[in-house]
Amino acid sequence: MTNSLNHSIATLNVSLERDIFLRTLIRELSGTLQDVVGLEEASGFISVVAERMATQLDQDYKSALEVSKLSRKQVADVLIDLKKRIQGDFYVIEQDDEKIVFGNRFCPFEEKVLNRPAMCMMTSNVFGTIAANNLGYAKVELQETIAQGASGCKVIVYLKFTEEAEDAKGREYFRGLESV
C-alpha cells in the first residue's frame, strides 16, 4: 500500500522542480526582507550577495577569455552572455565610451520578480561590479524594470562620471583593490 501511495504522489501534477523552487525561495526571501527591514535595506542585503557573485563571474569570464581586464565591448558582451545563460534576454540598445544602455525582454526570475524590486539589485550589482572592476567606474540606473510592472527593463551603465551620470538615480561602483 505504501509503495502505491508513493508512486501516486510522485506522479502528481505539481509544478515543482529546482529552478522554480530556487526562484520562489529568492522571491520569498527578498519579500520577507522588504517587509521586515524595508526596500532600501533589503536591496542592500541582496547587493552584498550580488557583489560576491559578480566578483566570481568576472574572474570566470576573464579566465575563460585569458585576459586580465575586459574592454568596454567585452564588458557589454559578458553582461549579455551571463544573462542569456540564466535565461534573461538582455541586449544593447546603445553604447559609447560614457555608457552602455541595455534593454531586457525577459527576467531570469520570470514572474517571481513581480513586486520584488529588491531582486533587481542582482542585476545592478553584477553589472556595476563587473563594469567597475574592469573599467574603473560604473553607475547603474535601473530606469525601467519588470519587477515594477514594466513590460521590459531598461538598464543604463554609466562608465564615466559625467553630468548625465551624476543626475541619474542609481548606485555607483568603483574598482575593487583586488581588481587592480
Side-chain angles (χ1 to χ4, degrees):
M1 183 72 175
T2 303
N3 196 17
S4 69
L5 180 61
N6 287 343
H7 178 69
S8 65
I9 289 174
T11 60
L12 291 174
N13 185 15
V14 175
S15 180
L16 182 62
E17 44 83 30
R18 184 172 50 182
D19 180 61
I20 291 171
F21 178 81
L22 292 174
R23 284 186 295 113
T24 302
L25 174 69
I26 293 168
R27 174 184 171 74
E28 295 308 319
L29 183 60
S30 67
T32 300
L33 282 170
Q34 283 178 207
D35 293 344
V36 173
V37 299
L39 178 57
E40 192 68 28
E41 292 296 320
S43 296
F45 284 116
I46 292 171
S47 293
V48 171
V49 174
E51 182 179 359
R52 289 179 181 171
M53 289 180 69
T55 300
Q56 183 60 55
L57 290 166
D58 185 40
Q59 288 304 316
D60 292 346
Y61 275 98
K62 287 191 282 196
S63 178
L65 290 166
E66 298 178 353
V67 298
S68 60
K69 187 173 148 184
L70 301 173
S71 68
R72 177 181 48 82
K73 181 174 180 347
Q74 287 173 318
V75 165
D77 291 345
V78 161
L79 297 179
I80 288 170
D81 182 71
L82 74 86
K83 286 295 191 173
K84 280 191 188 322
R85 288 176 187 258
I86 60 171
Q87 299 176 21
D89 190 16
F90 278 74
Y91 56 94
V92 172
I93 295 172
E94 67 175 274
Q95 68 176 307
D96 58 35
D97 288 338
E98 294 181 358
K99 69 183 174 191
I100 307 169
V101 181
F102 293 95
N104 176 41
R105 292 176 280 256
F106 194 78
C107 181
F109 293 114
E110 295 181 346
E111 77 287 351
K112 304 297 184 188
V113 78
L114 296 175
N115 300 311
R116 296 292 192 270
M119 291 170 69
C120 298
M121 286 302 102
M122 292 298 291
T123 296
S124 179
N125 270 27
V126 169
F127 280 28
T129 299
I130 290 174
N133 283 348
N134 289 283
L135 305 173
Y137 170 83
K139 183 174 187 178
V140 178
E141 179 182 16
L142 302 170
Q143 224 174 49
E144 297 174 13
T145 66
I146 294 168
Q148 294 186 311
S151 62
C153 300
K154 184 174 182 184
V155 178
I156 303 173
V157 180
Y158 297 94
L159 306 172
K160 297 193 178 192
F161 189 76
T162 62
E163 220 175 283
E164 182 183 6
E166 186 176 7
D167 292 341
K169 290 183 180 181
R171 289 180 180 248
E172 290 183 299
Y173 302 87
F174 301 90
R175 179 179 290 139
L177 292 176
E178 65 279 347
S179 300
V180 177

